[in-house]
Amino acid sequence: MIAVPDSHPDATASASPIGHVAEVHGPVVDIVCETLPPLHRALEVAIDGGSAVLEVLHHLDAHQVRAIALHRTAGLRRGTPVFDSGAPLQVPVSVECLGRLLDVFGQPLDGGAPLESLEFRHLHSPPPLLADTLPSSSILETGIKVIDLLCPFIRSGKTGLFGGAGVGKTVLIMEFMQAVASLHGGVSVFAGVGERIREGHELWHEMAGNGALANAVLVFGQMDESPGVRFRVGLAALTYAEYLRDTLGKEVLFLMDNVFRFVQAGSEVSGLLGRMPATVGYQPTLPSEVAELEDRIVSSRLGNITSVQAVYVPADDMTDPAVGAILAHLDTRVILSRSQAAKGFYPAVDPLASGSNLMERHFLGDRHYNVAHDVREHLARYRELEDIITMLGIEELSEADRLVVQRARRLQRYLTQPFHAMTTQNAGGGVSVPLAQTLTDCEAFLRGEYDDLPEERCYMRGAMGDAS
């Protein structure tokens, strides 16, 4: 049940019912009422000694609305009175949310005490005015060599992390959290959309073990919950990110896993509301629903929000309508490759498929742009020659091509590194490499200063300062 304190400005919850339940179809509830509540209004109904929250999503006629239940509807009967909460869906916000595991209503899932807060924020808050937003102006360094060099994060930008199961997506997300906290003194907000209970449990305990949880908020809508919960948990987590941005004025990293599950939940809700499906069976409101979430991930004069979003690609089809709708809002694309993971190259980032819209000379500067271009050129040439090397051997290549291949193989191994998030697997601990050091090392590789160094000396290490 949504708690609405009397001191809250939206505390207009009716003491008498505004209507009653007419029909129940799974999570869909039709309500008859004299005065129609506005769209997105949160309603409450009693079920078997407890209560459930409904969100109004459709006006059927002058006296009937259709709502989606955010709790289980088992036990809900026709004629049950429905009460108006007096506000849209909202969550309690407080600086004490750091280090907590919460649900879509802001209630604790970690066994701790509820958040003590007299301030509530609506899930459907509008984005800041255009005059109050700040454009992308610099790179957000992560200390991860391959990302900072070839597909850098843009401060206040949005990054898509495309990858399947088992390629290190969750580890990479935890490393981003660690980097923002240690390098930038920032905080992280993680939205688990349709997460498996096992995944959420492992993430929570790993973050608690490596110290990242103290500077993070985890908001979960689990796979077994109502599609309405999975559809709104991203907005709930984003509400906490906006609060931390506006209150603390810090660098806020907003992570969502998985945006495709958000789209799937919206498709389920759309079907339950009786809307006609559109392209490939997706909801007709797909672009506007994605935009409703993405357009709020902006930086203001009070602080920055930088977003990293894991995206599942159905059947590896990048032309899928859901992937296309998400891609339209992204600044950077990080493609995790299973072939890279199979070779033991972690993070398993495909350096040629990944990239950024702002990989331009005037934004990165001449040095960064030139080094990234030359590294990508060496790796691309090596990929072109791999089949020839496999069939005929490297001896059949020209002297120039052999030199390119040898340097590309060392660069491949240099762009791997151990992570802080995997300290239990890394005896030497994780490493973080500043971008300036990465550029210096890559320039040395390209000049041939490490041509005589064994390849294994370049693998899973930090800077090359003491490699020789």
Side-chain angles (χ1 to χ4, degrees), residues 98-101 140-144 147 153 161 168-193 195 199-200 202-220 237 241 244 250-257 306-310 419-422 432:
L98 291 173
R100 300 302 303 274
L101 177 65
L140 182 72
E141 288 193 34
T142 64
I144 302 172
I147 288 178
F153 284 14
L161 191 63
K169 182 175 65 218
T170 301
V171 175
L172 203 52
I173 283 177
M174 287 194 293
E175 192 69 11
F176 295 151
M177 292 183 177
Q178 184 88 13
V180 166
S182 60
L183 299 180
H184 305 282
V187 295
S188 303
V189 178
F190 179 87
V193 182
E195 286 285 285
E199 293 174 338
E202 290 176 356
L203 177 66
W204 178 38
H205 281 282
E206 286 179 12
M207 290 182 62
N210 62 32
L213 186 60
N215 294 301
V217 185
L218 308 183
V219 184
F220 279 92
L244 294 173
K250 287 190 174 184
E251 194 78 49
V252 179
L253 180 65
F254 175 68
L255 305 111
M256 179 181 277
D257 187 8
T306 302
S307 173
V308 179
Q309 306 168 22
F419 281 167
H420 297 91
M422 300 294 288
S432 179

Side-chain angles (χ1 to χ4, degrees), residues 29 44 49 57 82 103 128 148 207 229 246 301 304-305 450:
V29 181
E44 300 179 10
L57 292 181
V82 178
D103 65 9
D148 288 345
M207 290 182 62
V229 169
D246 300 340
R301 303 182 189 279
N304 294 318
I305 295 182
Y450 296 114

